[in-house]
């Protein structure tokens, strides 16, 4: 659908911006500029979480769940 395509395009742009920020040389930035970048990164991550649904399971938790299911059944 068109909303899925729009979300995909938005997510791609946000990820590109995150990678750009990550690749920047932040040593020469003023503390206020670093704060601005950090708040932008937080905002982008929140937007990506909202787009993706925000449910993530780490590998360790996934393995623990599988082991518990095996032991219980």
């Amino acid at each position: 659908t068109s909303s899925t395509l729009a979300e995909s395009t938005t997510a791609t742009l946000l990820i590109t911006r995150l990678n750009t920020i990550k690749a920047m040389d932040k040593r020469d930035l003023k503390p206020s500029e670093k704060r601005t970048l950090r708040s932008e990164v937080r905002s982008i991550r929140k937007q990506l979480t909202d787009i993706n649904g925000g449910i993530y399971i780490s590998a360790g938790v996934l393995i623990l769940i599988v082991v518990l299911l095996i032991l219980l059944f």
Side-chain angles (χ1 to χ4, degrees), residues 46-64:
K46 184 179 182 319
Q47 289 175 9
L48 286 173
T49 301
D50 292 343
I51 290 172
N52 292 330
I55 299 176
Y56 295 98
I57 298 177
S58 69
V61 172
L62 186 61
I63 292 171
L64 181 64

